Amino acid sequence: MDMGIRITEDGPYIVTGGVPIYEKRIVKRDGVYVWEDGRELPQAEVYALCRCGKSGNAPFCDGTSHKRFKGKETADRRPYGERAEKLEGPGMDMLDDVRCGKAMFCHRHGKSTWELLKQSDDPDARNELIRAACECPAGRTVVMDKDGTVREDRLEPAIYIVQDPERNVSSGIYVMGGIPITSADGEVYEVRNRVLLCRCGASRNKPFCDATHINAMYKDTRGGSIFRKK
Ligand code: FES
């Protein structure tokens, strides 16, 4: 079966094709944010990921908790290139669609992606800018050279179940490597290298994360253990 994610109406994400799944924590190390391994998660050919935020077996759907969940997909489905604004720097340009899960990878050594863009004629700032833009799990930012050449990492298809111990919350589902995502109504979303899906159930931009898990203080139900090291 091909790799894919199918959104079910008011229910979970069904993942097919044996997509590798890992829990990862966002941690700050030496001034930059990095992924740290979390708990080991079971691998399977097909699995259902909770979308309502209430499962007793997170990140997987437990089959019952979503009974009262209203999971209507509300996100703008136009392609990224149409939704994003083009921002120009002296050495590079950047697209920005303002789709933000507050994962913080846009901050490196005290500078934001947008500050780095303004200094992008400096080789060091340019390298930092490429890292900052490419590591945003929400896929908010895409950088390119002045001739339009996009600087994007080649990511293998995988899913990260994201934990944010700095904020003491559970974050979204980082889908990387161009895994197709199909809406509950059958339409396939634009295939992208990086997207962050909502799993707390509270995003106002479903199926994508809009950082509402922070205000909602969402913690997935395997409890406080998620913030401890393995
Ligand atoms: S979507 Fe099924 S328990 Fe959350």
Side-chain angles (χ1 to χ4, degrees):
M1 202 179 235
D2 289 343
M3 284 192 183
I5 298 175
R6 186 168 50 79
I7 300 168
T8 59
E9 191 177 347
D10 300 332
Y13 302 101
I14 308 295
V15 183
T16 56
V19 179
I21 181 168
Y22 309 99
E23 183 181 80
K24 296 278 181 175
R25 289 187 285 256
I26 303 167
V27 296
K28 195 175 189 182
R29 228 177 260 145
D30 302 327
V32 298
Y33 288 86
V34 296
W35 297 109
E36 184 180 87
D37 289 345
R39 297 166 302 180
E40 204 156 309
L41 296 174
Q43 307 293 314
E45 182 66 18
V46 178
Y47 49 90
L49 291 177
C50 175
R51 190 162 78 92
C52 74
K54 300 279 191 290
S55 171
N57 186 36
F60 303 102
C61 171
D62 67 5
T64 54
S65 303
H66 55 258
K67 287 244 161 83
R68 281 187 291 281
F69 176 54
K70 295 278 172 258
K72 190 171 171 7
E73 294 161 67
T74 51
D76 186 341
R77 296 193 191 184
R78 284 177 302 151
Y80 175 77
E82 274 179 40
R83 291 183 292 102
E85 184 186 359
K86 187 175 181 186
L87 308 174
E88 297 190 0
M92 296 192 89
D93 295 333
M94 183 167 86
L95 296 175
D96 178 356
D97 73 354
V98 198
R99 200 170 268 179
C100 176
K102 291 207 166 77
M104 298 305 288
F105 289 84
C106 54
H107 290 79
R108 295 181 66 83
H109 304 292
K111 286 186 185 158
S112 74
T113 306
W114 298 267
E115 288 166 320
L116 292 164
L117 179 67
K118 289 186 189 144
Q119 301 164 5
S120 55
D121 49 350
D122 172 84
D124 290 341
R126 172 194 149 86
N127 286 340
E128 285 291 286
L129 169 63
I130 293 170
R131 291 292 6 110
C134 287
E135 292 193 8
C136 169
R140 169 177 175 164
T141 45
V142 172
V143 279
M144 61 206 70
D145 294 328
K146 284 292 182 185
D147 66 2
T149 306
V150 170
R151 299 291 165 187
E152 181 76 29
D153 293 335
R154 188 185 295 270
L155 300 176
E156 291 300 317
I159 285 176
Y160 283 2
I161 298 298
V162 182
Q163 307 288 4
D164 184 351
E166 197 173 88
R167 290 198 176 86
N168 207 24
V169 295
S170 293
S171 181
I173 300 170
Y174 180 16
V175 178
M176 64 189 79
I179 300 169
I181 299 169
T182 306
S183 163
D185 67 18
E187 190 181 334
V188 181
Y189 285 88
E190 179 190 18
V191 171
R192 299 202 60 211
N193 198 29
R194 299 173 274 131
V195 294
L196 192 63
L197 294 174
C198 171
R199 69 183 180 109
C200 73
S203 171
R204 284 152 297 189
N205 194 38
K206 290 187 185 70
F208 302 106
C209 171
D210 70 351
T212 302
H213 59 269
I214 298 169
N215 286 343
M217 297 175 73
Y218 169 63
K219 278 195 206 183
D220 72 24
T221 46
R222 281 187 181 173
S225 64
I226 58 174
F227 299 115
R228 287 203 294 269
K229 292 206 192 272
K230 274 197 291 186

